[in-house]
Amino acid sequence: MSLKEICPILHFADLGDERGKLVVIEGGQAIPFEIKRVFYIYGSDAMVVRGQHANRESEFVLINVAGKSKVRITDGSDEFIVELDKPMMGVYIPRMLWKDMYDFSPDSVLLVLASTHYSEGEYIRDYNDYLKEITRSQS
Ligand code: TYD
């Protein structure tokens, strides 16, 4: 399967009306896990690259609820770049994929939904370690 299939773009229900927009995301329904943690990243400028890690356990959905940013996802060979620029779209990222977030607009608020509570031990923050781990798990 390609990364595009493994990391689908999700489209959330927009229940907006003449009073404004309302987007609903329900754990286990619109996204394929129960949400255990929510965090958001803002105030990162266009030169910053965030992420730069893989997670052994966590699955994520990334949504730019304001502004825009890009996420580059790789499994060490394929690469998939998504521009997040609408509050009603997100991208699902399963475990053990490397991700970088960058090109943040000044008004970017990047919302992240996670399937786990935070645990630093499940992060792989060195790209060479990541490549070694996925190679081991594939052999
Ligand atoms: P970091 O993983 O570098 O952020 P990102 O990759 O999403 O840009 O996290 C920055 C700091 O915040 C780091 O010291 C770990 C801490 N942190 C938590 O304590 N809990 C969390 O849920 C997250 C995402 C980070």
Side-chain angles (χ1 to χ4, degrees), residues 12 32 34 55:
F12 306 120
E34 294 296 334
N55 295 74

mmCIF file with all atom_site columns, all heavy atoms in Angstrom, residues 12 32 34 55:
data_model
loop_
_atom_site.group_PDB
_atom_site.id
_atom_site.type_symbol
_atom_site.label_atom_id
_atom_site.label_alt_id
_atom_site.label_comp_id
_atom_site.label_asym_id
_atom_site.label_entity_id
_atom_site.label_seq_id
_atom_site.pdbx_PDB_ins_code
_atom_site.Cartn_x
_atom_site.Cartn_y
_atom_site.Cartn_z
_atom_site.occupancy
_atom_site.B_iso_or_equiv
_atom_site.pdbx_formal_charge
_atom_site.auth_seq_id
_atom_site.auth_comp_id
_atom_site.auth_asym_id
_atom_site.auth_atom_id
_atom_site.pdbx_PDB_model_num
ATOM 1  N N   . PHE A 1 12 ? -14.127 16.059 7.559  1.00 0.00 ? 12 PHE A N   1
ATOM 2  C CA  . PHE A 1 12 ? -15.023 16.057 8.714  1.00 0.00 ? 12 PHE A CA  1
ATOM 3  C C   . PHE A 1 12 ? -16.336 16.754 8.380  1.00 0.00 ? 12 PHE A C   1
ATOM 4  O O   . PHE A 1 12 ? -16.379 17.642 7.524  1.00 0.00 ? 12 PHE A O   1
ATOM 5  C CB  . PHE A 1 12 ? -14.349 16.739 9.904  1.00 0.00 ? 12 PHE A CB  1
ATOM 6  C CG  . PHE A 1 12 ? -13.010 16.151 10.224 1.00 0.00 ? 12 PHE A CG  1
ATOM 7  C CD1 . PHE A 1 12 ? -11.872 16.930 10.176 1.00 0.00 ? 12 PHE A CD1 1
ATOM 8  C CD2 . PHE A 1 12 ? -12.883 14.808 10.536 1.00 0.00 ? 12 PHE A CD2 1
ATOM 9  C CE1 . PHE A 1 12 ? -10.627 16.381 10.438 1.00 0.00 ? 12 PHE A CE1 1
ATOM 10 C CE2 . PHE A 1 12 ? -11.648 14.244 10.807 1.00 0.00 ? 12 PHE A CE2 1
ATOM 11 C CZ  . PHE A 1 12 ? -10.508 15.036 10.755 1.00 0.00 ? 12 PHE A CZ  1
ATOM 12 N N   . PRO A 1 32 ? -9.987  6.847  13.232 1.00 0.00 ? 32 PRO A N   1
ATOM 13 C CA  . PRO A 1 32 ? -9.984  5.409  13.550 1.00 0.00 ? 32 PRO A CA  1
ATOM 14 C C   . PRO A 1 32 ? -9.429  5.043  14.925 1.00 0.00 ? 32 PRO A C   1
ATOM 15 O O   . PRO A 1 32 ? -8.907  3.965  15.103 1.00 0.00 ? 32 PRO A O   1
ATOM 16 C CB  . PRO A 1 32 ? -9.122  4.823  12.425 1.00 0.00 ? 32 PRO A CB  1
ATOM 17 C CG  . PRO A 1 32 ? -8.223  5.912  12.022 1.00 0.00 ? 32 PRO A CG  1
ATOM 18 C CD  . PRO A 1 32 ? -8.929  7.202  12.279 1.00 0.00 ? 32 PRO A CD  1
ATOM 19 N N   . GLU A 1 34 ? -9.775  5.981  19.534 1.00 0.00 ? 34 GLU A N   1
ATOM 20 C CA  . GLU A 1 34 ? -10.343 6.777  20.619 1.00 0.00 ? 34 GLU A CA  1
ATOM 21 C C   . GLU A 1 34 ? -9.310  7.835  20.994 1.00 0.00 ? 34 GLU A C   1
ATOM 22 O O   . GLU A 1 34 ? -8.134  7.525  21.167 1.00 0.00 ? 34 GLU A O   1
ATOM 23 C CB  . GLU A 1 34 ? -10.665 5.889  21.833 1.00 0.00 ? 34 GLU A CB  1
ATOM 24 C CG  . GLU A 1 34 ? -11.774 4.880  21.595 1.00 0.00 ? 34 GLU A CG  1
ATOM 25 C CD  . GLU A 1 34 ? -13.138 5.543  21.303 1.00 0.00 ? 34 GLU A CD  1
ATOM 26 O OE1 . GLU A 1 34 ? -13.369 6.688  21.747 1.00 0.00 ? 34 GLU A OE1 1
ATOM 27 O OE2 . GLU A 1 34 ? -13.948 4.908  20.611 1.00 0.00 ? 34 GLU A OE2 1
ATOM 28 N N   . ASN A 1 55 ? 6.721   7.545  16.088 1.00 0.00 ? 55 ASN A N   1
ATOM 29 C CA  . ASN A 1 55 ? 6.155   7.070  17.349 1.00 0.00 ? 55 ASN A CA  1
ATOM 30 C C   . ASN A 1 55 ? 5.882   5.582  17.248 1.00 0.00 ? 55 ASN A C   1
ATOM 31 O O   . ASN A 1 55 ? 5.234   5.128  16.312 1.00 0.00 ? 55 ASN A O   1
ATOM 32 C CB  . ASN A 1 55 ? 4.856   7.822  17.665 1.00 0.00 ? 55 ASN A CB  1
ATOM 33 C CG  . ASN A 1 55 ? 5.106   9.282  17.918 1.00 0.00 ? 55 ASN A CG  1
ATOM 34 O OD1 . ASN A 1 55 ? 5.359   10.040 16.993 1.00 0.00 ? 55 ASN A OD1 1
ATOM 35 N ND2 . ASN A 1 55 ? 5.089   9.676  19.174 1.00 0.00 ? 55 ASN A ND2 1
#
